[in-house]
């Protein structure tokens, strides 16, 4: 339960301190934050409004969820909002990459790699997506014949990793994908599980955390070496070629080995897990909403028949796009991200002091009842062109916005639409009863807490879709939004 310290609406024409929870001496609101961060932040919007001030230990933090104020932070006054201390924990593993840097260094690097992510370049990756997905679906045929369930998150992580690596680096990472899954788990632990006994040891002691950091760097050093060796041999890979040719804008020197490793590691880490999480939630949402499944089947049947997606036809899959957009609304993989205010500002009519931290949460904004009727319902029709036009643009920002908008957003959307389409052509998915859905303690991305075990029902005995689905043998458990209730819940 939170207590308001100041009125929830700012008096017109004046600026003042935003309302928020009182918290307790020294710790502020760290207790409820640690117990269940997502539920706590949703509660702040419900109880105090769109601009909320709180203390987390020594830090003053503002949660900003109103569309105008979000735009002010990310677009209109973006220069006033830098990455700040909350982003520093990413640097432990990612070093100085696009995600963690600011200013001229960031600008030079972003400019150097941007061409590989432009729409025309990204459309070229469709064949890679199709090939990698076909390989996975062929393996699924074998599993389905044996009535073997699949672990959806693990499968999606492998698929997005392989696709990213082949598409941007022309490098086949498939043989290492199992090791990398473990490494990604280590990355999350190293960056975010603070306060363990090993953290308090003297810095020269070889702790478990340091061993993990060393292992992560060793694995990525090997991948970087392999990617560079493969590029030297073949000259292929849209992103690695830009990285190899990039020059420092001031000195004119090529990127150092360290710069190249940090960026490569950033792209691998930022690019595959997010898309995999979103695929997982999208497929579950479809499986648990039969009318959505039916409409999707009809569209895919009409647009593609039994053919595969390609660069021409994916644009015509308008309902599929809306399903993906709605899934990114309900379950935005990057559900929260921070900034630090360099100078003072006013957001939502309230004072923001220089030095205070800002929290932006797509999850909380995407559940704001002021802009989303019945926000817990899964409804792709929120994303018809008309509905989008009538809503404030920044009520929805799964990829951020402004100059720091996700560099991979076009790629991610293309992957999501293509893979969802192809899976639906060949299989009907149903969740195996007894597997609860929960977010867990979502430290970076909004992953399901437990394994999501899926039963596969082939659409036809012979492969790609003729649109007639074999009914699933077990009814799927209802999927209600894990944020605030229903069968699935958030867990600590
Ligand atoms: C569904 C998938 C994805 C989601 C939801 C997502 C979300 C985001 C968000 C919200 C940000 C902005 C963070 C901030 O402003 O602090 C971001 C930045 C970034 N993303 Fe993504 N992302 C996705 C896929 C990808 C992919 C496929 C790649 C690369 C292949 C990628 C690479 C990056 C990078 C490098 C940044 C930092 C950009 C910069 O600051 O210049 N992301 N992403």
């Amino acid at each position: 339960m939170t207590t308001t310290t100041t009125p929830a609406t700012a008096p017109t024409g004046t600026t003042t301190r935003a309302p928020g929870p009182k918290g307790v001496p020294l710790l502020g609101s760290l207790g409820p934050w640690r117990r269940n961060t997502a539920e706590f932040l949703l509660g702040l919007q419900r109880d105090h409004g769109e601009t909320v001030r709180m203390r987390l230990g020594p830090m003053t933090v503002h949660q900003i969820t109103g569309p105008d104020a979000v735009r002010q932070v990310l677009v209109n006054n973006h220069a006033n909002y830098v990455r700040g201390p909350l982003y520093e924990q990413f640097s432990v593993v990612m070093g100085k990459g696009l995600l963690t840097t600011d200013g001229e260094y960031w600008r030079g690097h972003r400019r150097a790699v941007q061409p590989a992510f432009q729409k025309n370049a990204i459309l070229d990756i469709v064949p890679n997506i199709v090939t990698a997905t076909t390989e996975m679906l062929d393996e699924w045929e074998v599993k389905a014949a044996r009535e073997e369930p699949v672990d959806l998150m693990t499968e999606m992580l492998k698929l997005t990793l392989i696709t990213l690596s082949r598409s941007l680096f022309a490098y086949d990472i498939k043989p290492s994908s199992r090791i990398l899954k473990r490494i990604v788990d280590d990355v999350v632990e190293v960056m975010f599980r603070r306060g363990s006994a090993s953290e308090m040891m003297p810095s020269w002691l070889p702790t478990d955390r340091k061993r993990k950091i060393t292992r992560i760097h060793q694995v990525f050093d090997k991948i970087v070496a392999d990617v560079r060796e493969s590029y030297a041999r073949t000259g292929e890979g849209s992103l690695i070629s830009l990285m190899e040719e990039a020059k420092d804008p001031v000195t004119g020197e090529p990127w150092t080995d360290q710069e190249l490793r940090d960026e490569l590691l950033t792209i691998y880490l930022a690019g595959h897990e997010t898309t995999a999480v979103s695929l997982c939630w999208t497929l579950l949402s479809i499986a648990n909403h039969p009318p959505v499944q039916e409409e999707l089947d009809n569209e895919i049947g009409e647009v593609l028949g039994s053919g595969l997606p390609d660069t021409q036809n994916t644009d015509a899959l308008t309902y599929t796009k809306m399903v993906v957009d709605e899934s990114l609304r309900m379950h935005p993989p990057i559900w929260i991200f921070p900034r630090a205010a360099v100078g003072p500002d006013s957001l939502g009519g309230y004072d923001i002091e220089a030095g205070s931290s800002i929290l932006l949460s797509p999850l909380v904004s995407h559940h704001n009842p002021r802009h989303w009727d019945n926000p817990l319902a899964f409804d792709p029709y929120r994303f018809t062109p008309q509905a989008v036009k009538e809503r404030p643009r920044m009520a929805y920002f799964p990829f951020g916005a402004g100059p720091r908008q996700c560099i991979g957003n076009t790629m991610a959307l293309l992957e999501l639409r293509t893979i969802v389409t192809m899976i639906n052509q060949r299989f009907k998915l149903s969740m195996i009863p007894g597997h609860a859905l929960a977010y867990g303690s979502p430290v970076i991305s909004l992953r399901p807490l437990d394994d999501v075990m899926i039963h596969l029902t082939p659409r036809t005995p012979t492969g790609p879709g003729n649109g007639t689905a074999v009914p699933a043998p077990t009814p799927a458990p209802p999927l209600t939004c894990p944020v605030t209730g229903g069968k699935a819940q958030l867990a600590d």
Side-chain angles (χ1 to χ4, degrees):
M1 190 68 193
T2 48
T3 329
T4 308
T5 49
T6 48
T9 9
T12 4
T14 64
T15 53
T16 180
R17 185 178 265 222
K22 257 199 174 114
V24 297
L26 293 176
L27 295 179
S29 296
L30 265 184
W33 163 277
R34 284 199 177 134
R35 264 194 300 282
N36 194 326
T37 315
E39 226 160 59
F40 170 62
L41 297 183
L42 281 155
L44 292 182
Q45 176 175 259
R46 192 181 51 237
D47 298 342
H48 303 285
E50 295 177 343
T51 304
V52 183
R53 181 190 169 93
M54 70 191 119
R55 268 191 320 100
L56 295 177
M59 282 193 297
T60 300
V61 180
H62 287 87
Q63 170 168 277
I64 304 297
T65 55
D68 290 345
V70 171
R71 177 187 295 282
Q72 170 87 347
V73 173
L74 293 179
V75 186
N76 297 352
N77 196 16
H78 67 86
N80 190 47
Y81 296 97
V82 295
R83 298 317 229 189
L86 291 171
Y87 248 114
E88 272 163 22
Q89 46 208 348
F90 284 85
S91 315
V92 177
V93 171
M94 294 183 177
K96 287 175 73 181
L98 278 182
L99 255 184
T100 50
T101 51
D102 272 306
E104 281 312 310
Y105 185 91
W106 163 78
R107 201 165 292 110
H109 277 225
R110 173 110 187 189
R111 223 175 262 146
V113 298
Q114 186 77 50
F117 294 95
Q118 263 144 12
K119 186 150 188 208
N120 283 350
I122 285 303
L123 278 177
D124 289 347
I125 75 171
V126 172
N128 283 323
I129 306 175
V130 170
T131 306
T133 310
T134 305
E135 286 166 13
M136 180 191 78
L137 294 176
D138 288 346
E139 288 170 18
W140 282 16
E141 291 287 354
V142 178
K143 290 189 179 180
R146 291 197 212 122
E147 301 204 354
E148 215 178 278
V150 297
D151 171 350
L152 194 59
M153 192 64 215
T154 302
E155 292 289 298
M156 293 303 105
L157 281 169
K158 194 165 124 193
L159 177 60
T160 53
L161 182 68
I162 292 169
T163 306
L164 181 148
S165 193
R166 286 183 189 164
S167 300
L168 300 177
F169 301 111
Y171 173 67
D172 193 1
I173 205 161
K174 198 171 186 176
S176 321
S177 60
R178 202 179 280 268
I179 303 169
L180 268 163
K181 182 173 183 284
R182 238 188 38 231
I183 288 292
V184 170
D185 292 341
D186 283 352
V187 168
V188 173
E189 194 180 321
V190 158
M191 292 201 292
F192 292 95
R193 305 252 186 273
R194 317 305 298 269
S196 66
S198 78
E199 285 276 288
M200 290 155 216
M201 301 289 185
S203 60
W204 45 266
L205 268 183
T207 60
D208 184 47
R209 182 165 183 267
K210 283 186 204 148
R211 267 192 295 273
K212 282 187 172 143
I213 295 174
T214 308
R215 198 168 70 207
I216 294 164
H217 285 154
Q218 279 168 348
V219 168
F220 271 94
D221 282 342
K222 169 86 173 73
I223 291 173
V224 174
D226 287 352
V227 167
R228 297 184 84 170
E229 187 276 321
S230 147
Y231 176 69
R233 222 171 355 94
T234 64
E236 282 179 15
S238 59
L239 185 55
I240 186 64
S241 73
L242 292 171
M243 288 178 169
E244 291 282 12
E245 284 154 28
K247 301 257 186 304
D248 183 295
V250 179
T251 62
E253 291 293 315
W255 282 3
T256 61
D257 289 351
Q258 183 70 40
E259 279 176 286
L260 204 143
R261 184 191 75 177
D262 289 352
E263 287 302 2
L264 201 133
L265 203 153
T266 298
I267 293 292
Y268 269 111
L269 290 178
H272 88 286
E273 214 243 0
T274 41
T275 314
V277 168
S278 189
L279 276 167
C280 204
W281 287 117
T282 308
L283 293 165
L284 289 175
S285 302
I286 296 166
N288 287 287
H289 293 83
V292 174
Q293 173 85 70
E294 199 182 320
E295 203 160 345
L296 201 69
D297 290 348
N298 290 341
E299 176 177 90
I300 295 171
E302 269 165 34
V303 175
L304 300 183
S306 56
L308 289 169
D310 62 32
T311 45
Q312 310 296 320
N313 59 26
T314 42
D315 254 0
L317 295 165
T318 49
Y319 185 71
T320 313
K321 282 185 196 170
M322 284 163 29
V323 170
V324 166
D325 290 346
E326 172 66 345
S327 173
L328 285 164
R329 178 193 71 82
M330 272 191 85
H331 310 289
I334 300 299
W335 69 285
I336 183 174
F337 55 91
R339 291 289 189 271
V342 178
D345 199 0
S346 164
L347 294 175
Y350 295 104
D351 284 336
I352 304 294
E353 305 99 314
S356 64
S357 293
I358 304 292
L359 275 185
L360 299 165
S361 171
L363 180 76
V364 181
S365 289
H366 294 180
H367 286 80
N368 185 343
R370 212 154 70 82
H371 305 294
W372 306 96
D373 282 343
N374 194 6
L376 297 182
F378 187 84
D379 177 8
Y381 280 95
R382 300 179 199 274
F383 289 92
T384 61
Q386 187 59 27
V388 169
K389 217 187 300 163
E390 284 165 10
R391 209 169 26 237
R393 157 83 181 80
M394 298 308 295
Y396 180 70
F397 55 103
F399 295 102
R404 304 302 297 253
Q405 175 160 327
C406 175
I407 201 168
N409 73 334
T410 309
M411 174 171 171
L413 288 172
L414 191 65
E415 277 185 82
L416 281 161
R417 291 163 188 166
T418 310
I419 294 169
V420 165
T421 300
M422 289 182 69
I423 290 178
N424 265 283
Q425 284 182 308
R426 284 181 62 177
F427 291 96
K428 191 158 178 168
L429 311 188
S430 44
M431 257 189 88
I432 293 181
H435 288 265
L437 271 181
Y439 285 155
S441 197
V443 279
I444 305 183
S445 63
L446 207 59
R447 263 195 201 211
L449 175 64
D450 293 321
D451 296 345
V452 180
M453 298 309 290
I454 287 290
H455 180 91
L456 302 167
T457 307
R459 294 287 181 145
T460 68
T462 48
N466 63 4
T468 39
V470 180
T474 41
L479 176 71
T480 43
C481 179
V483 179
T484 50
K487 290 259 178 243
Q489 319 136 15
L490 287 161
D492 273 336

